[in-house]
Amino acid sequence: MAMTPYVRTRMLEQKPPPVTSVGPAGWMRRNLFAGPVNSAMTVVTLGVVALLLSHLLPWVFLSVWNADSLAECRQIIDETWGTEHSGACWAVVRERFLQLVYGFYPWDFLWRPNLTFVLMLVALAPVLFTGLPRRMLVFSVLYPFLGAWLLWGGPVWTPLLALAGFGVAALGWRLGGRVNAILAVALAVLLPLLWWILVMGPLGRGLSALLPLGLEPVESNKFGGFMVSVVIGMSAITLSLPLGILLALGRQTDLFIVRSFSVAFIEFIRGVPLITLLFVASTLLNYFMPPGTNFDLIVRVIIMATLFSAAYIAEVVRGGLAALPKGQYEAADSLGLDYWQAQRLIIMPQALKIAIPGIVSTFIGLFKDTTLVSIIGILDPIGLSNAIRADSAWNGIYWELFAFIGFVFFLFCFSMSRYSMYLERKLNTGHR
Amino acid sequence: MATVSEPPQGGFRLSQLIYDTRYRSMTIQIVTLIGVLSLIYWLGANVAYNLAALGKPIDFTFLWAPANYDINQMLIKYDSQDSHARAALVGLLNTLLVAVLGCVLATVVGVIVGVLRLSSNWLVARVMTVYVEAFRNVPVLLWIVLAMAILIEALPQPRDFRGDDPAASMLFDAVAFTNRGIYLPEPLFTRSLGEVPFFGIFDISLDLLALLAVLAAGMLAVRAIGRRAERIQNATGDRPTTWYLSLGVIALPVLVLLALLGFHLGYPELKGFNFAGGIYLRNSFIALWLALSLYTAAFIAEIVRGGIIAISKGQSEAAAALGLRPNRTMRLVILPQALRVIIPPLISQYLNLTKNSSLAIGVGYMDLTGTLMGTSLNLSGRELECVMLTMLIYLAISLVISGVFNLYNQRVKLKER
């Protein structure tokens, strides 16, 4: 009799995985309690986090929003939660909110910074998001003149005539181009300079005498708070990108003299702290200017911050340029493109794409560094926090102001870094 | 048949300067040179004119005049009758002190946080992410003033240590945390060797030199022991246990020397309204040090994390295949390779920390900015000289740091043949 070996003819039903490896229990076991060391780390971290939160959360939330002074705040806290509790006095943020945002900007004209800010978002939108109509870029180009005029005020002719300088440059280019190229370049550079230096002032005064259109001028020393940070940060960011790209190209070129100047400039700026440059802006710049020139402290700071950040941008862009394979340059040459065409169409789009994370982190750094202006006496948020503390009603208030300022900076910088990640993902054409 | 195009005939035309590639680069360079030189000349002429109008030509002799101000933290002897130059040197040493200690602490914290961010432990990784994002996205000046405020507001005043039932007490009766700073025990020697002057600039303690010499000798001995162990391992396959020998040659001579010198600790004591004796770490120094270190550590953590991620997964899999445990994989396989990616950005973080130390002015720590570009500038009224000198010194520090680390980078770089 033949033996029939036992052979299973039907697959068994799959068993459910053990309860300890699925669901929340499994997740916790894998991610929090995998082994004794891991478990110990989890427990210790939990303890530290719980300790921090148990102090922080009551302070943040069992707090006072309506009071006129720190003493009143403390009194309300004592009455509501007992004397042991130490809650935050957010009333200072509420009471001084306008000051923290606008500094001492005349309160009647607050619509001007507000409008400037909204228009800034409009101007930035087509630059940041390529899905929007390209025609909006025209507004972005005009915006700096409009924004500066709205903030500082003065006759409407100043920004218009400053803009007209570019028209003069185009005119010079056309006229000179009829004769030869050298004259075209020379006229395109010299004519607008003459226009801005010599013609603009008298012409502007004449026009405003004829037709006094304009806004009430506001002095720079009235600017303060986050407005100053945004104005300095945004201007320096916008101006430093083209300058930084030029410097990076200057550092890469074969032209010895151009390269030496670029290297010297970049290394000098990167070698000194920003605060020394701000000291130059606040104390020395008058020495370097012809006697009698006296231009605005905030403009001086913007110039210095621009130079500072341009040197860093230049290094970041240089990294992007160096990361491009040599074949790209050769391909551009073989297509018969000249230097600027090759840069514009082939090299820069790729190099800048590689450099985006670095560029954005330079911008974030610059925006954070705008707080340094408090040291040279501009009332940025940190400078204002000292000023508010000097008021007898709010004497001794530290944490609430620092927390608020830190929170706002965090929002700005964190969203910038998230945007850069979005951009990196969007532009990533690699196949990985 | 080869055709050679004729070189262009005819005389030189002016437009060739722009259109002819043979001349164009020369044209551009000469125009740049003229432009930059005239800019420099214009600035220089303005400076000369303005200074002449003010009646104070550029003059560095003020550096040797008495400074007439006190500095609250000094590593070398200084009093208000010393010169501005010496005050600047004191400030420079304070800058270097906070920069070096800051770099060390930032590296330690940064590497730990960077590695922990990649931990398989969900909670630890998240907490580290929160730390990194919080510190990276808030200005360093805010962290510095916040650290200062915490030290001033949260720590007890020296007078709280007084009385029979004091509100605050010292840690182990040796360390006092007060809102003016931290007092630590100081090392003292009853049979001290004294000090020798170093080029008349500052004095070096001979005790310290002797200790360093003994330590260096111990290190050499440890290396010799290691080489011997290597030889024995190569010959027999067994590596002899050497750790107690190494410990002995390092620790014993040091202990003997300390005993010979009569080493003891001087504890800080409460005298009147303040502590006396011991090492006094100012709160401005501690605030600056901690804030700079923790801020830079967040950046270093990201660099370390990036470096580790950049090492291909194959490397850790290969290490696992060899049977290495995770922490040995990290130590022996991943980190040495990641180091090559990490070092160049790490150098620039060190440079940033050094430059950011100039924010000391925000908390009144007397570094180079506080002395030369702060009080000296205000007292002497020599803005141009002070600011220029300060910039040059910072520039020199930056160039030295980047030079040294680039040299190191060259050495650890992968040798490609």
Side-chain angles (χ1 to χ4, degrees):
Chain A
M1 194 176 139
M3 291 268 287
T4 39
Y6 176 75
V7 174
R8 191 183 286 281
T9 53
R10 193 170 55 83
M11 284 297 274
L12 273 181
E13 279 296 309
Q14 230 175 30
K15 274 191 178 174
V19 274
T20 49
S21 66
V22 286
W27 182 88
M28 276 173 69
R29 209 177 137 153
R30 268 195 314 279
N31 292 308
L32 297 178
F33 301 102
V37 180
N38 220 324
S39 309
M41 268 169 35
T42 307
V43 171
V44 171
T45 318
L46 262 183
V48 173
V49 171
L51 186 73
L52 283 178
L53 289 185
S54 68
H55 281 88
L56 210 59
L57 290 182
W59 182 78
V60 172
F61 291 106
L62 302 182
S63 52
V64 178
W65 280 93
N66 281 311
D68 290 330
S69 70
L70 188 57
E72 196 189 332
C73 255
R74 296 222 166 111
Q75 199 192 342
I76 297 176
I77 288 173
D78 284 354
E79 282 166 7
T80 326
W81 292 289
T83 43
E84 256 89 273
H85 179 75
S86 63
C89 179
W90 299 116
V92 66
V93 175
R94 185 194 172 95
E95 206 212 38
R96 297 298 180 106
F97 184 77
L98 287 181
Q99 205 177 50
L100 280 169
V101 175
Y102 304 102
F104 296 95
Y105 206 85
W107 286 28
D108 297 340
F109 301 140
L110 285 192
W111 61 271
R112 277 158 56 176
N114 288 340
L115 183 62
T116 316
F117 188 75
V118 172
L119 290 181
M120 180 184 89
L121 298 183
V122 176
L124 277 179
V127 182
L128 296 185
F129 302 102
T130 42
L132 294 167
R134 296 292 83 195
R135 209 168 290 166
M136 281 174 76
L137 281 172
V138 178
F139 177 71
S140 309
V141 172
L142 297 180
Y143 172 74
F145 299 91
L146 179 63
W149 176 63
L150 276 176
L151 284 180
W152 273 279
V156 70
W157 304 114
T158 320
L160 289 181
L161 291 177
L163 258 178
F166 293 101
V168 173
L171 193 72
W173 177 261
R174 282 278 174 75
L175 286 180
R178 295 205 184 137
V179 185
N180 68 23
I182 297 181
L183 195 68
V185 173
L187 284 185
V189 174
L190 286 179
L191 278 187
L193 282 180
L194 286 176
W195 171 266
W196 283 320
I197 296 172
L198 296 178
V199 183
M200 207 176 111
L203 189 60
R205 276 193 290 280
L207 281 171
S208 10
L210 276 177
L211 197 62
L213 278 181
L215 292 171
E216 190 79 11
V218 176
E219 303 258 327
S220 268
N221 55 17
K222 298 271 196 309
F223 286 40
F226 287 107
M227 193 180 105
V228 138
S229 307
V230 174
V231 166
I232 294 176
M234 282 310 298
S235 326
I237 285 171
T238 326
L239 295 172
S240 66
L241 188 60
L243 191 58
I245 292 175
L246 283 184
L247 279 172
L249 290 178
R251 200 174 177 157
Q252 288 270 311
T253 151
D254 300 329
L255 311 175
F256 174 73
I257 295 177
V258 178
R259 194 175 64 227
S260 324
F261 281 133
S262 305
V263 171
F265 178 82
I266 293 172
E267 290 304 322
F268 174 73
I269 296 283
R270 275 165 32 101
V272 299
L274 177 59
I275 186 72
T276 57
L277 292 176
L278 292 181
F279 262 79
V280 170
S282 74
T283 61
L284 294 190
L285 217 57
N286 278 346
Y287 285 132
F288 290 108
M289 292 292 134
T293 359
N294 186 17
F295 63 105
D296 203 279
L297 183 57
I298 288 190
V299 177
R300 289 191 248 171
V301 168
I302 289 176
I303 294 175
M304 283 301 166
T306 305
L307 296 181
F308 183 76
S309 125
Y312 284 83
I313 296 280
E315 282 302 278
V316 174
V317 174
R318 184 171 75 113
L321 287 174
L324 274 196
K326 208 169 172 339
Q328 296 292 327
Y329 293 88
E330 290 166 351
D333 281 346
S334 71
L335 285 177
L337 301 179
D338 72 17
Y339 181 77
W340 291 109
Q341 282 174 325
Q343 292 298 340
R344 190 163 54 83
L345 300 171
I346 311 258
I347 308 298
M348 272 304 149
Q350 300 183 69
L352 288 183
K353 193 175 88 183
I354 300 173
I356 283 174
I359 291 177
V360 175
S361 61
T362 310
F363 285 165
I364 294 177
L366 176 69
F367 186 63
K368 286 186 295 178
D369 279 345
T370 56
T371 51
L372 266 60
V373 298
S374 63
I375 292 176
I376 57 167
I378 294 179
L379 288 175
D380 82 315
I382 292 186
L384 270 176
S385 78
N386 294 328
I388 292 174
R389 214 173 298 125
D391 185 340
S392 62
W394 299 111
N395 199 348
I397 195 150
Y398 287 97
W399 320 114
E400 292 81 357
L401 288 173
F402 288 157
F404 175 68
I405 297 168
F407 179 70
V408 174
F409 268 103
F410 182 85
L411 280 188
F412 271 102
C413 299
F414 191 68
S415 41
M416 274 199 255
S417 71
R418 291 296 121 158
Y419 172 74
S420 114
M421 285 180 181
Y422 151 80
L423 206 56
E424 258 178 87
R425 269 199 311 279
K426 196 183 75 176
L427 296 181
N428 185 12
T429 45
H431 305 283
R432 308 220 284 174
Chain B
M1 199 181 111
T3 53
V4 176
S5 59
E6 288 285 303
Q9 296 295 318
F12 177 77
R13 294 184 314 279
L14 208 56
S15 60
Q16 269 179 298
L17 284 180
I18 281 193
Y19 289 127
D20 194 325
T21 45
R22 286 173 299 178
Y23 305 114
R24 182 159 51 192
S25 67
M26 204 42 94
T27 320
I28 296 175
Q29 301 211 56
I30 287 173
V31 168
T32 317
L33 188 64
I34 293 174
V36 172
L37 286 184
S38 45
L39 182 70
I40 292 174
Y41 174 77
W42 183 69
L43 292 177
N46 282 336
V47 170
Y49 181 87
N50 286 324
L51 287 179
L54 285 172
K56 49 176 189 184
I58 294 181
D59 181 7
F60 284 97
T61 48
F62 79 96
L63 281 175
W64 311 113
N68 287 325
Y69 64 94
D70 286 316
I71 298 178
N72 52 25
Q73 175 189 307
M74 46 212 184
L75 295 176
I76 57 174
K77 286 193 184 67
Y78 168 86
D79 66 55
S80 61
Q81 287 312 301
D82 280 320
S83 62
H84 282 294
R86 193 167 174 87
L89 180 66
V90 174
L92 174 63
L93 288 177
N94 285 346
T95 293
L96 292 178
L97 176 74
V98 80
V100 170
L101 290 180
C103 286
V104 172
L105 184 61
T107 314
V108 172
V109 176
V111 170
I112 293 175
V113 172
V115 171
L116 284 185
R117 260 199 93 173
L118 293 170
S119 159
S120 60
N121 189 316
W122 182 87
L123 185 67
V124 173
R126 285 301 166 289
V127 168
M128 292 306 156
T129 310
V130 169
Y131 162 78
V132 167
E133 293 296 347
F135 270 86
R136 278 203 314 172
N137 289 317
V138 173
V140 62
L141 185 60
L142 192 65
W143 285 120
I144 293 174
V145 288
L146 182 68
M148 189 70 177
I150 290 177
L151 289 182
I152 291 180
E153 296 286 309
L155 290 176
Q157 296 181 1
R159 65 155 189 248
D160 291 343
F161 290 80
R162 282 194 308 168
D164 294 327
D165 184 23
S169 59
M170 291 163 75
L171 191 66
F172 307 126
D173 277 334
V175 185
F177 294 93
T178 76
N179 68 350
R180 295 188 195 177
I182 299 177
Y183 294 84
L184 299 170
E186 61 178 335
L188 292 175
F189 302 98
T190 39
R191 290 179 289 274
S192 174
L193 297 173
E195 298 180 329
V196 283
F198 180 81
F199 294 118
I201 305 175
F202 54 89
D203 297 336
I204 295 184
S205 155
L206 276 180
D207 308 316
L208 184 69
L209 283 184
L211 268 179
L212 287 180
V214 168
L215 265 182
M219 293 288 181
L220 285 179
V222 167
R223 282 181 71 176
I225 292 170
R227 272 202 302 275
R228 181 173 156 271
E230 197 91 347
R231 253 200 331 274
I232 294 177
Q233 187 177 19
N234 287 345
T236 66
D238 285 328
R239 192 178 178 88
T241 324
T242 58
W243 64 266
Y244 55 89
L245 275 180
S246 309
L247 193 69
V249 291
I250 294 243
L252 269 184
V254 172
L255 289 178
V256 170
L257 182 71
L258 287 180
L260 282 180
L261 291 173
F263 172 81
H264 62 277
L265 287 176
Y267 295 104
E269 279 171 43
L270 197 57
K271 288 209 174 109
F273 290 104
N274 211 342
F275 281 90
I279 298 174
Y280 172 35
L281 302 177
R282 269 184 180 278
N283 54 10
S284 57
F285 167 74
I286 297 168
L288 185 68
W289 178 44
L290 287 182
L292 280 179
S293 309
L294 292 180
Y295 178 78
T296 314
F299 290 88
I300 292 181
E302 282 301 273
I303 293 171
V304 169
R305 190 177 75 108
I308 293 174
I309 291 176
I311 304 305
S312 70
K313 205 159 185 308
Q315 293 289 327
S316 48
E317 286 168 352
L322 286 177
L324 294 181
R325 290 174 173 285
N327 55 357
R328 298 198 91 192
T329 308
M330 185 57 81
R331 199 156 48 89
L332 300 172
V333 179
I334 309 287
L335 276 186
Q337 299 185 67
L339 219 54
R340 297 204 182 95
V341 188
I342 290 170
I343 284 177
L346 193 62
I347 299 171
S348 77
Q349 285 308 323
Y350 288 161
L351 285 172
N352 281 347
L353 190 146
T354 310
K355 283 180 284 176
N356 280 340
S357 73
S358 59
L359 297 181
I361 203 166
V363 288
Y365 176 73
M366 294 297 268
D367 72 334
L368 187 63
T369 327
T371 54
L372 185 58
M373 210 171 75
T375 321
S376 283
L377 184 151
N378 290 333
L379 289 181
S380 67
R382 300 248 160 223
E383 298 100 349
L384 193 70
E385 291 88 339
C386 284
V387 174
M388 289 294 149
L389 213 53
T390 313
M391 284 178 133
L392 279 182
I393 294 174
Y394 273 113
L395 188 62
I397 298 175
S398 299
L399 292 181
V400 167
I401 293 178
S402 64
V404 168
F405 278 102
N406 281 334
L407 222 66
Y408 175 68
N409 192 24
Q410 295 283 322
R411 281 191 53 190
V412 299
K413 215 164 69 177
L414 200 59
K415 303 280 185 297
E416 285 184 44
R417 296 191 179 89

